[in-house]
Amino acid sequence: MPSEGRCWETLKALRSSDKGRLCYYRDWLLRREDVLEECMSLPKLSSYSGWVVEHVLPHMQENQPLSETSPSSTSASALDQPSFVPKSPDASSAFSPASPATPNGTKGKDESQHTESMVLQSSRGIKVEGCVRMYELVHRMKGTEGLRLWQEEQERKVQALSEMASEQLKRFDEWKELKQHKEFQDLREVMEKSSREALGHQEKLKAEHRHRAKILNLKLREAEQQRVKQAEQERLRKEEGQIRLRALYALQEEMLQLSQQLDASEQHKALLKVDLAAFQTRGNQLCSLISGIIRASSESSYPTAESQAEAERALREMRDLLMNLGQEITRACEDKRRQDEEEAQVKLQEAQMQQGPEAHKEPPAPSQGPGGKQNEDLQVKVQDITMQWYQQLQDASMQCVLTFEGLTNSKDSQAKKIKMDLQKAATIPVSQISTIADCRSLVFMAGSKLKEIFDKIHSLLSGKPVQSGGRSVSVTLNPQGLDFVQYKLAEKFVKQGEEEVASHHEAAFPIAVVASGIWELHPRVGDLILAHLHKKCPYSVPFYPTFKEGMALEDYQRMLGYQVKDSKVEQQDNFLKRMSGMIRLYAAIIQLRWPYGNRQEIHPHGLNHGWRWLAQILNMEPLSDVTATLLFDFLEVCGNALMKQYQVQFWKMLILIKEDYFPRIEAITSSGQMGSFIRLKQFLEKCLQHKDIPVPKGFLTSSFWRS
């Protein structure tokens, strides 16, 4: 643009003017009033000017030729001389009024031209110019030194400012860090507050959850208790039903046995004046009634108490029916016997009258003697069903012996050791049940000790290890160990009855209660006990072995229960004593229960078997001395329990024994064997007189188990 060209021309004109050639000091503001004073004061020479004129100029004139030299070279050489530098400390201050050199090249050039023009005009002026230049040099050096000092001062200030800035930066960083910490602390407090609120809410939820869970647990517990209660009630109902059902089966079994006895009375039909059809018809009705009750109970799952009571009433009626029939048969037999005796007397008198006085003979005995004729109304052989039961037990015993035959016949020393350990573990606890304190009394252990012995036997039979002789023994040591222990244990129980109970009658009860408890938990041991008992005492079946052709007399005597050693038969007193001990043990077993067992279960071999044994004994011909002894021992031990169980029926049986069976026993008993008969007779008469049978001596009461 045209205006731009005129602007530059203006700037150039201003630069060429006198004002444009003026020197400008950047630090004039620092000098303040001094600058203005220098501008306003008149120019004057320094105090050193005279020194320069006197010392410098003459020296320059001597060394310099008088030829025409340029003012610039002369001044330059003068400037190069070191002597030109002022030595006085006041030199710098003398040259201080001179104007310092400026960085502006244009201004310096103009000044040099002006100076040269002045030097050319006068040599005196040249010298003065040299002095001025030297002064300017000194002043410039002074300015340089001042500049250096000023720079150092500025550097110190910059360093100070830098340090201050660094400190401020640190304070800023600290402030920033503090601010961050405060923000972080605030944030953490907010988070902690939120966490506390969340935890509080969570705890509240947990408390509500626990409360609800507690309520649910209470409901579940109540429901579970209700379910358990219902299950327990159902279990009890089932157990009661099973007990009633087993009781019904027992009642039916006894009813069938009584029915068989009723049918067996058919052989006496010719002796009776009454018709047996009515008895048999009523007996069949009663059997059908019990069968119908059992059938109805099976259809309705379990029998009720009313059904059981009805079956018991039917059984009592059957017993009464059979008892009445027996009395009728007894009376008819007595009438028949008297009639036969009268006829025999008549025939004897007629024969005596015909043959004369020398043909007089005594009439035959009314009952069986050792070689006489048996009565027709009683039997010698046992019932078929009882004989089958006896044979089954003997077969089971033989089978058990065959099972552990390998253990007993083994030649291996380890097997023999195991056999001895097992035998000791089975027999020693039974031997410890009772101990003899002296020859006159038997002291029994406390109930706790008896329970300890029972637990030891039960543990052995259950396969658990027991301590015997300082060693651990278990039936699992040999595959045949359990059979061996069961057999030896049953054998030991019977042997205790044969020996211990035979000598001390009170020992029957602690031995029997342990045997009964083991029998309940281990039925096979009970069967083996019966097998051993029947083999050693056949009268406990009851069973009278018969003599067969070709049989050795010693074998027959062993079958009767006698001990035969070296062809010598034991004394009758010792024989009766052993039979008495075994019958007493049997009578105690059938009435005792292990007090710590399951009372809801029925006795494995209870009083109904005792009633059966007593009924079958009375239906068989009595044996001299044996029958009276066994009846007395059985009734003395078990009579009180039978009385409580069967009540009126039992008393009827005792009356039958007194009125009908005593004469039969007395008829076959010799004068030297009347002791057992008299003891039995006195015992029954005393019981009938007092209408009570005393509790046997040594019976285990509740106080015994608390000892």
Side-chain angles (χ1 to χ4, degrees), residues 64-341:
Q64 227 175 22
L66 295 176
S67 60
E68 293 182 3
T69 56
S70 63
S72 61
S73 60
T74 304
S75 62
S77 61
L79 290 173
D80 293 335
Q81 296 297 325
S83 59
F84 293 163
V85 180
K87 302 298 181 179
S88 175
D90 297 332
S92 58
S93 60
F95 291 102
S96 57
S99 301
T102 58
N104 194 336
T106 306
K107 182 178 180 181
K109 186 177 179 181
D110 294 339
E111 288 181 355
S112 63
Q113 290 176 359
H114 178 71
T115 305
E116 289 177 358
S117 62
M118 291 177 66
V119 171
L120 290 177
Q121 294 177 4
S122 174
S123 59
R124 183 72 176 176
I126 294 172
K127 293 179 181 180
V128 174
E129 180 66 24
C131 292
V132 171
R133 286 182 179 271
M134 186 178 62
Y135 173 78
E136 288 179 355
L137 176 61
V138 173
H139 187 72
R140 189 178 297 114
M141 293 173 61
K142 183 179 179 181
T144 303
E145 181 66 20
L147 179 62
R148 184 182 63 79
L149 295 175
W150 180 81
Q151 288 178 347
E152 291 177 358
E153 182 69 20
Q154 294 302 315
E155 288 176 359
R156 285 194 298 270
K157 292 181 179 180
V158 169
Q159 185 177 1
L161 290 174
S162 177
E163 292 176 357
M164 185 177 64
S166 177
E167 292 297 328
Q168 290 180 352
L169 182 60
K170 289 181 181 179
R171 302 291 86 76
F172 177 77
D173 292 339
E174 292 175 356
W175 179 81
K176 185 177 180 182
E177 185 177 359
L178 177 62
K179 186 177 181 181
Q180 290 177 351
H181 284 314
K182 290 179 64 177
E183 291 178 354
F184 177 75
Q185 185 69 21
D186 295 340
L187 180 60
R188 186 168 62 181
E189 290 178 357
V190 171
M191 293 177 65
E192 289 178 354
K193 184 177 179 181
S194 301
S195 299
R196 287 194 297 270
E197 292 178 354
L199 288 174
H201 184 64
Q202 186 177 5
E203 290 296 329
K204 185 177 179 180
L205 291 177
K206 286 183 179 179
E208 293 179 356
H209 175 71
R210 285 193 296 268
H211 181 66
R212 293 178 181 176
K214 186 177 181 180
I215 295 175
L216 289 176
N217 288 334
L218 289 175
K219 291 182 179 179
L220 289 174
R221 192 179 298 111
E222 291 176 357
E224 182 65 17
Q225 290 176 354
Q226 185 68 20
R227 186 191 65 79
V228 170
K229 184 178 180 181
Q230 292 178 355
E232 183 67 17
Q233 291 177 353
E234 181 66 18
R235 185 183 64 81
L236 292 176
R237 188 182 67 83
K238 289 182 179 180
E239 290 179 354
E240 291 176 357
Q242 291 176 355
I243 293 173
R244 292 194 189 101
L245 188 60
R246 284 193 291 268
L248 284 178
Y249 288 150
L251 293 175
Q252 187 181 26
E253 181 182 1
E254 188 175 353
M255 179 71 77
L256 293 175
Q257 292 176 358
L258 295 177
S259 178
Q260 290 178 357
Q261 295 178 13
L262 188 64
D263 294 337
S265 63
E266 188 71 21
Q267 58 182 341
H268 305 291
K269 183 176 181 180
L271 301 176
L272 299 176
K273 298 179 181 179
V274 295
D275 188 8
L276 289 178
F279 289 94
Q280 293 178 349
T281 301
R282 184 55 185 166
N284 293 333
Q285 291 176 353
L286 294 175
C287 290
S288 301
L289 177 62
I290 290 186
S291 299
I293 292 173
I294 293 177
R295 191 180 302 109
S297 301
S298 301
E299 293 176 355
S300 61
S301 68
Y302 293 108
T304 60
E306 291 77 9
S307 301
Q308 185 178 359
E310 186 178 358
E312 290 175 352
R313 286 194 297 270
L315 181 61
R316 285 196 293 271
E317 185 177 353
M318 186 68 173
R319 290 170 183 166
D320 294 339
L321 187 67
L322 189 61
M323 186 69 71
N324 295 333
L325 180 59
Q327 292 175 358
E328 292 290 339
I329 292 175
T330 301
R331 284 194 292 269
C333 289
E334 290 292 332
D335 294 341
K336 177 65 175 175
R337 185 174 60 81
R338 285 193 295 269
Q339 184 179 357
D340 291 342
E341 289 178 355

Side-chain angles (χ1 to χ4, degrees), residues 425-426 429-430 433 452-462 466 485 489 493 514 518 522:
V430 180
I433 293 177
E452 180 180 344
I453 293 176
F454 175 85
D455 293 339
K456 189 173 183 179
I457 298 174
H458 174 55
S459 298
L460 180 65
L461 293 172
S462 301
V466 297
V485 168
L489 183 63
F493 273 121
V514 175
I518 296 297
H522 305 275

